[in-house]
Each structure stands twice: as structure tokens, then as C-alpha cells.
Amino acid sequence: MPSKATSIDIAYRAGVSQSTVSRALRNSPLVNLETRQRIQAIAKELNYKVDKNASNLRTQNSHTLALLICEDPTNDDSMINPFFLSMLGSITRATARQGYDLLVSFQQLSSDWHADYEDSNKADGIILLGYGDYVDYAHKLEKLLQQNTHFVIWGAEHNNKSVLSIGCDNHQGGMLATQHLLNQNRKTIAFLGDSSSHSPEFRDRYFGHCEAIKAKGFLVNKALQIDAISTESSGFDAANALLDKNIPFDAIFAASDLIAIGALRALKKRGVQVPEDVAIMGYDDIPIASFANPSLTTVKQNTQLAGEILVECLLKLIRGQEVSPMLIPTNLVVRQSCGSQLKS
Amino acid sequence: MPSKATSIDIAYRAGVSQSTVSRALRNSPLVNLETRQRIQAIAKELNYKVDKNASNLRTQNSHTLALLICEDPTNDDSMINPFFLSMLGSITRATARQGYDLLVSFQQLSSDWHADYEDSNKADGIILLGYGDYVDYAHKLEKLLQQNTHFVIWGAEHNNKSVLSIGCDNHQGGMLATQHLLNQNRKTIAFLGDSSSHSPEFRDRYFGHCEAIKAKGFLVNKALQIDAISTESSGFDAANALLDKNIPFDAIFAASDLIAIGALRALKKRGVQVPEDVAIMGYDDIPIASFANPSLTTVKQNTQLAGEILVECLLKLIRGQEVSPMLIPTNLVVRQSCGSQLKS
DNA sequence: CTGAAAGCGCTTACAG
DNA sequence: CTGAAAGCGCTTACAG
């Protein structure tokens, strides 16, 4: 097998200098059109591809982005949060559309995940995805900032204003969800999900939830908020804990679809009818949501748009352009788990 | 901000030559232990990272693998087959464990997807994933072979023996599924899934299915096989087409869970009880399977193991070691959709 | 419009 | 054990 063709091989065949080959392949108008075409034809024939290592080394950028998905260490190893997978899909596509490659890596929150992609010149910037413990996160972000790494983070706005965060409007989403439940005449709505600063996304959803309740003139009962992380089993446990409290409630707003599905299982097991006895509202609109029984009414995060915006903002950051944090609006997807009709 | 440190900076600080720095950082026993440690300490302090572009250019390998996920163009854009996502997770982990990075790309089957990762020295090898149309595939694989690209392909064994394929044993899986249905006293089992050479994985499952039926002394009724690709809506359509035939049947073996879930929806809509009237068997054991109602009995493909084996074989290929195609055994996951007890 | 030359930051024979 | 030097394959000022 002939070893890989280089620009010198092409130069030789075309009877020009290697510099001219390089220019021609980058389609520089500097080189004579005819020569350019001839060179490009030869390159194609030899199946020549520019060596990225060489060109990246020379130009000092990699045309590659890195995506770090930070998994909750408590998560089942094999089951990645479907919401992230959906984001992964849209980020991959958006990256490709911009002519960049994407390096993907899953990281345990516990590990030393800044992962050095940019330091080692493998990526021009990093996208961070993860429902992790934000307090844990913080000092790692600090380090990234110190190192002048280009990165964007998916999620709630960060207290550190230098961190560029892109996320869906969790506060608005939380309001939307609870307003819908209230409109269905539910009066006592439990919230399943961590409400501490450890998961600011869940917390913002909770705050939106509370605001909707207050706006209706009701009181927020703190006993109806049960911590849960975004897994089915955590949702199952949280719903059981809620039931064990023996406080009456007629609706559950779960901070994620996975939690909602776990809660659904717990309620069924205890003989509680959904949505007749208790309405369940999810969050995310992951594919499973529409297959649940009853199908899950939920707040949809537009992952398609989110992926595009993440990539776009990261590229701006890399190019040194102005960017500011963005909040993407969410919308309600009404299915069956909250009842489809207004009750009276 | 100081620009990125290079090995020369470290050499300067350590009072040694750049060559020695390079050796020390690769932990070469050639350099004096004390010197080595001193250099490593300085590197750490300066937050130095080897420039991958430079080292890759020099060594002519990238320590990177590429994963190409070939999507069925008919697939809903936003909904990637969950089975692939699960594979993606395990491949990412396996790759990281081997000290390699992973470049991920989604490709429409129609596009020019050999994607040149290896040609441009961005990756040392490629993993191909996709329930695509294999006939379409074939000539692209041919091209990869011609170019001497290192690649492994997930799926059925390929007629071209030079193509290294790793896959679950679809024939055995198909037998397993149908044997279980027969053991549940089902006698007329429909198969939903393409049975042509266009999707050899489905075809092998179908052949396994047929073999189980014949082993039982029953006859295979070709009218009970309906084409479907691996999407929920295709399963829905196929089940409707099956019902429209007005041939009685008491079980469906769907070539994938997604098809099974679509079929489930169709049956429910027509008032057919599952599993009382019709049992449904899926394939893959994607996360949704356990949340379906009734939960789906299915054939599990061990994605964890599969990812590891794919990566391992690809690395062997890259290193020029001996490798042969592998068939990974599947196992049955019994849930509720086929009835949990033997009927008599 | 084209070529000769420098240089990106490494690794690794070669010489000592 | 260490250093001087070559060279991986490009891109791009510089000169013409």
C-alpha cells in the first residue's frame, strides 16, 4: 500500500511548489484558477486529505470542540440521562454544521474532569453538560476560568458572571407547570426534586412553582417538597417518602421526567390513580415521556435550539466576540398524566 | 495572560535541554529519576500539557478513535435510536479507559460519510454504528477497505470477509424470543421488521424466529412477516397493516423495542389486549422497554460488553494484531408483555 | 500569481 | 544519562 499522500506528492505531480498546493487546496484566489483546479483534481485523485495535526499545529487551533457530559456519580452506569443524550445529538449536529469536529467524553463529577482538552490543543473550546452538584462544580469552573479556557455551560445562570451559561428558563418552566396544574383545579401540589443551591436548575423550577402558587393566592407548604436527583429510582423513593408523610395532595410536579416516571411507579404500586387521584407533571420531555402510562404532561426543553445556541456561543467566545448568557423559553406539552380536561 | 507553556519553557526553568524535558514527561527511564521528578514538578506548576497536534504529527498517530453513527434518514431527526445512544455511552467509556479520545459524528446514510477522519490523521480508526440499509452501505465499506482505513462495524457479519464486524448473535436472539413465546403457548407469531438483506440484523432475527417455529414442528406463515424499520411509527404502521390482513395471531415478535412500542400503541388503539389477546416481544432492551405498559419482554443486547469489544478489536486492528469477527450472546429479559405465567 | 523559507511543538535516532 | 539536530506536514509572511 502506498503511504499517505502529502502536499509534496501533489506538488511534484502538478509541477508546482508545495506552497502553491497548500494555497490551491484552501481555494485561495491568489492562485491561478486553472492551476488551482488542476491541483484540486490531482488531490482528489490521490485521495489526499490535509493532515489535521500538521495544519492545526501550524495554525494553533483545532477546529474541534469538546463536549464533557458530567454524570451524576449516583446514576446507574448504563443509563445516561436521556435528556443529555438528546442534547448530545443536537450538539453533534450543530458542531458539524459549523465545520467543527466534536470530541465527546463522559466524566464522573468526582474525577479531574477539566480534562485538558483545550490545554493540549485538542479542542478550541469545551461545552459542559451536567445536572451535577453545582457547589462541587464551582471550583472546577474557577480553574477553567483561570486557565483561560473557552467554555460554555448548560444550565442555570452562574453566580460567577464570567461563566457563560446557556439554559432553558427554569423559573418560567416551573411556573408554566404549576399554573397548568392549578388550571386543572389541583390545589395541593407536591414538588419532587432537590431545591437547594446544589442543583440550581431544580431550584429555579421550584421557585417558579412557588411563585405560581402564591400568585394564585395559595400558600406554599414546604413539607410537600421532597429532594430527589434526576433518576427513576430517586423519583420512586421520593414519591414513597411523600406518601409516607400522610399529607394529602392531588398533584406532583417532578423536577424531571425521570423523577416523574419513578413517582408514577410508586403511586401505582400504592394504588393511587393517575391522573384521577393525583396528577403528575414532568420536566424535559424526553422520549420516554410520551410512552409512559398515562403519557406524561411535561415541560419541553427545546434541545434542538439549545444545542445550536451552545455551539454558536462557544464559537463566538473562541473568536473573541461578545456573548451574554441566554435563557431559552420552555413550553408545555399536554398529555394525559394531569388529566386532559378541566375538572370542576 | 501568559501564552501556553511549551517544553522549551520547562527546559529553561529546569536548566536542561528540551529533549530531556520531553523524555522526562514521557517518564522515560533514560533520564535520571531526580531530574525527571524535578521536570515533572515544573510541568505541573506551569500547568503544562503536551501539545497533541505536535506529538501526533511527530508520531503519526492520534490516540483518537472516531465513532460514526449512521442514522436512518427516515428517522425522526430529534430521536436517535436509544439503542445507539446506549452503545455510545459504553463506547465512550471503553475508549477513555484505553487512553484514547473519541470523536463522534452522526451521518445521514446518504451523505459522504467515510468522513476522512483517518485520512486526515484525526483518528487512528473508526467504529461504524447503524441500522442502515446494508446494500447502500456496502460500496462505502469497499472504499474504506481500499483506503486501508482501520474500522470495525457493529452488526451482522458481512459477506466481505475483510470487514471486521462485531455484533450480538441475532440469530440466537431471534430463536430465544420465539422460543419464549412458544413456551407461553403462543402458536401464531407475527414478525414485525424488514427481513431482506437490506437489514441483515433484522433478517437474522427473523431466521432465528423461523428456526424456532420449525423446531416446534409448526409452519412459518410468510404473511405474518411485515416490514418495518426501527422507529415507533414504523412499528405502529406495521401492526396496523398486520391487523388489516385479518389473519388471526396471538403474538408479535418485533425486531426492535421501538417497533414493539409502536405496535403496542396500534393494538391498544384497536382494543386488542396485551398480553391477554396478543403477546408482544421486543428486541434491544432500551430504557423505554421497562417503562412501557405493559412492560416489554425483550432480548437484551449487552451494550456494555459490546462497546468494550468494539474498542478492543479496533485497537488490535490498529496495532496490526490478529482479530476475527465476534458474536456476542444475547439474553432474554422477561417482563409483562408476553404474560408472566405459562398459559395452558 | 508563484516559490523559498521559516516555524508550529513535539519525538527520537544519533553522538557523546 | 544528556544534548544537538532532524523532521513530522502543513501555513503564511516575504520576496519576486
Side-chain angles (χ1 to χ4, degrees):
Chain A
M1 140 210 187
S3 73
K4 212 151 278 184
T6 70
S7 55
I8 296 200
D9 299 328
I10 298 178
Y12 178 77
R13 296 222 187 185
V16 295
S17 75
Q18 184 266 333
S19 335
T20 300
V21 170
S22 177
R23 289 192 193 95
L25 292 175
R26 327 197 78 243
N27 218 6
S28 159
L30 277 176
V31 1
N32 181 289
L33 182 60
E34 194 205 317
T35 321
R36 221 190 300 166
Q37 287 170 342
R38 185 160 45 92
I39 291 172
Q40 287 171 357
I42 295 174
K44 187 155 194 183
E45 189 196 332
L46 294 185
N47 214 327
Y48 170 82
K49 296 285 149 30
V50 172
D51 184 305
K52 290 290 182 187
N53 290 133
S55 66
N56 290 343
L57 174 60
R58 182 54 232 243
T59 59
Q60 292 293 75
N61 70 15
S62 62
H63 275 268
T64 299
L65 303 180
L67 172 62
L68 254 56
I69 303 183
C70 306
E71 294 178 89
D72 213 313
T74 45
N75 236 336
D76 175 1
D77 192 51
S78 65
M79 181 154 172
I80 304 158
N81 187 324
F83 174 73
F84 290 149
L85 291 177
S86 167
M87 289 290 293
L88 170 65
S90 77
I91 289 172
T92 311
R93 267 181 274 266
T95 307
R97 219 176 293 126
Q98 301 273 2
Y100 274 68
D101 288 321
L102 187 70
L103 231 29
V104 174
S105 159
F106 291 83
Q107 305 276 334
Q108 297 296 341
L109 259 186
S110 46
S111 72
D112 196 19
W113 58 250
H114 48 291
D116 315 321
Y117 282 121
E118 188 170 340
D119 285 325
S120 52
N121 269 335
K122 291 210 73 164
D124 299 333
I126 302 177
I127 297 173
L128 254 32
L129 217 61
Y131 267 125
D133 183 321
Y134 264 56
V135 173
D136 220 50
Y137 246 137
H139 79 274
K140 300 190 176 179
L141 297 183
E142 227 33 82
K143 188 161 181 191
L144 285 179
L145 282 173
Q146 267 172 39
Q147 293 173 197
N148 249 297
T149 304
H150 300 108
F151 70 98
V152 295
I153 169 169
W154 171 259
E157 200 162 344
H158 208 263
N159 356 3
N160 187 332
K161 290 302 169 198
S162 331
V163 172
L164 180 63
S165 63
I166 313 285
C168 283
D169 191 335
N170 291 296
H171 191 276
Q172 177 242 356
M175 279 187 66
L176 220 55
T178 297
Q179 280 165 357
H180 178 74
L181 288 169
L182 292 168
N183 287 341
Q184 303 298 105
N185 241 2
R186 307 287 170 163
K187 300 198 186 317
T188 322
I189 307 171
F191 182 89
L192 266 38
D194 199 335
S195 71
S196 75
S197 59
H198 283 261
S199 23
E201 302 193 65
F202 284 8
R203 184 200 51 198
D204 290 351
R205 290 170 201 175
Y206 181 63
F207 287 171
H209 160 81
C210 293
E211 189 173 325
I213 290 179
K214 288 177 197 151
K216 184 84 175 185
F218 292 170
L219 286 176
V220 173
N221 181 352
K222 287 225 161 180
L224 288 172
Q225 182 272 320
I226 312 273
D227 280 353
I229 61 168
S230 193
T231 64
E232 202 263 350
S233 67
S234 179
F236 181 77
D237 295 342
N240 278 323
L242 175 65
L243 288 163
D244 290 342
K245 284 192 168 188
N246 275 319
I247 310 174
F249 61 93
D250 57 12
I252 287 177
F253 171 24
S256 83
D257 285 346
L258 244 28
I259 293 175
I261 284 166
L264 195 57
R265 181 160 63 92
L267 293 184
K268 276 188 190 168
K269 210 164 182 174
R270 301 260 198 132
V272 180
Q273 300 271 348
V274 178
E276 293 77 4
D277 304 333
V278 169
I280 295 193
M281 167 76 66
Y283 204 105
D284 286 343
D285 196 27
I286 60 178
I288 293 177
S290 61
F291 299 134
N293 180 43
S295 60
L296 219 52
T297 293
T298 189
V299 177
K300 184 184 177 63
Q301 308 207 56
N302 188 339
T303 52
Q304 208 62 32
L305 184 61
E308 271 164 37
I309 291 181
L310 277 169
V311 170
E312 209 174 282
C313 284
L314 180 54
L315 290 179
K316 278 188 183 168
L317 215 56
I318 291 168
R319 297 189 189 115
Q321 294 166 11
E322 195 69 26
V323 265
S324 44
M326 270 196 70
L327 234 37
I328 303 170
T330 57
N331 58 289
L332 199 69
V333 179
V334 177
R335 296 203 183 90
Q336 296 160 3
S337 65
C338 299
S340 40
Q341 314 291 330
L342 280 173
K343 293 195 174 185
S344 56
Chain B
M1 140 209 187
S3 74
K4 213 151 277 183
T6 71
S7 55
I8 296 199
D9 300 329
I10 296 179
Y12 179 78
R13 295 222 187 186
V16 295
S17 75
Q18 185 267 334
S19 334
T20 300
V21 171
S22 178
R23 289 193 194 95
L25 293 175
R26 326 196 80 243
N27 218 5
S28 160
L30 277 176
V31 2
N32 179 288
L33 181 60
E34 194 206 320
T35 320
R36 220 190 301 165
Q37 288 171 341
R38 185 159 46 92
I39 291 172
Q40 287 172 356
I42 295 173
K44 187 153 194 185
E45 188 195 336
L46 295 185
N47 214 328
Y48 169 82
K49 297 284 149 29
V50 172
D51 184 305
K52 291 288 183 188
N53 290 132
S55 66
N56 291 343
L57 173 59
R58 183 53 231 246
T59 59
Q60 292 295 73
N61 70 14
S62 63
H63 275 266
T64 300
L65 303 180
L67 172 63
L68 256 54
I69 301 182
C70 307
E71 295 178 89
D72 213 314
T74 45
N75 235 337
D76 174 1
D77 192 52
S78 65
M79 182 152 171
I80 305 156
N81 187 322
F83 175 72
F84 289 151
L85 290 178
S86 168
M87 289 290 291
L88 168 65
S90 77
I91 289 172
T92 310
R93 268 181 273 265
T95 307
R97 220 175 295 125
Q98 301 273 3
Y100 274 67
D101 288 319
L102 186 71
L103 234 27
V104 174
S105 162
F106 291 82
Q107 305 275 336
Q108 297 296 342
L109 259 186
S110 46
S111 72
D112 194 17
W113 58 248
H114 47 290
D116 313 323
Y117 282 121
E118 188 169 342
D119 285 326
S120 53
N121 268 334
K122 291 210 71 165
D124 299 333
I126 302 178
I127 297 173
L128 256 32
L129 217 60
Y131 267 124
D133 183 321
Y134 264 56
V135 174
D136 219 52
Y137 248 136
H139 79 276
K140 300 191 176 180
L141 296 183
E142 227 31 85
K143 190 162 179 191
L144 284 179
L145 281 172
Q146 266 172 40
Q147 295 172 196
N148 248 296
T149 303
H150 301 107
F151 70 99
V152 295
I153 170 169
W154 172 259
E157 199 161 344
H158 208 263
N159 356 3
N160 186 331
K161 291 302 171 201
S162 331
V163 172
L164 179 63
S165 62
I166 313 286
C168 282
D169 191 336
N170 290 296
H171 191 274
Q172 176 241 357
M175 279 189 64
L176 220 53
T178 297
Q179 279 165 355
H180 179 73
L181 289 168
L182 292 167
N183 287 342
Q184 303 298 106
N185 243 2
R186 307 286 170 164
K187 301 201 185 315
T188 322
I189 307 172
F191 181 89
L192 265 39
D194 199 335
S195 71
S196 74
S197 60
H198 282 261
S199 21
E201 302 193 64
F202 283 8
R203 185 201 50 199
D204 290 350
R205 290 169 202 176
Y206 182 62
F207 286 171
H209 159 81
C210 294
E211 189 173 327
I213 290 177
K214 287 177 198 152
K216 184 85 176 185
F218 294 169
L219 285 176
V220 173
N221 181 353
K222 285 224 164 182
L224 287 172
Q225 182 270 321
I226 313 274
D227 279 353
I229 62 167
S230 193
T231 64
E232 200 264 351
S233 67
S234 179
F236 181 78
D237 295 345
N240 278 320
L242 176 65
L243 288 164
D244 290 343
K245 285 192 167 185
N246 275 319
I247 310 174
F249 61 93
D250 56 14
I252 288 178
F253 172 24
S256 81
D257 285 345
L258 245 26
I259 294 175
I261 284 167
L264 195 58
R265 180 160 63 92
L267 293 184
K268 275 188 192 172
K269 210 165 180 174
R270 300 260 198 133
V272 180
Q273 301 271 349
V274 178
E276 292 76 4
D277 304 335
V278 169
I280 295 192
M281 169 75 67
Y283 204 105
D284 284 345
D285 194 27
I286 60 178
I288 293 177
S290 60
F291 300 133
N293 180 44
S295 60
L296 219 53
T297 292
T298 189
V299 177
K300 183 182 179 64
Q301 309 207 55
N302 188 342
T303 53
Q304 207 61 33
L305 183 62
E308 270 163 39
I309 292 180
L310 277 169
V311 170
E312 208 173 284
C313 285
L314 180 53
L315 289 179
K316 277 189 183 166
L317 215 56
I318 291 168
R319 298 190 190 114
Q321 295 165 12
E322 195 70 25
V323 266
S324 45
M326 270 197 70
L327 233 36
I328 302 168
T330 57
N331 58 289
L332 198 68
V333 179
V334 178
R335 296 203 183 89
Q336 296 160 1
S337 66
C338 298
S340 40
Q341 312 292 332
L342 279 175
K343 292 192 174 188
S344 57

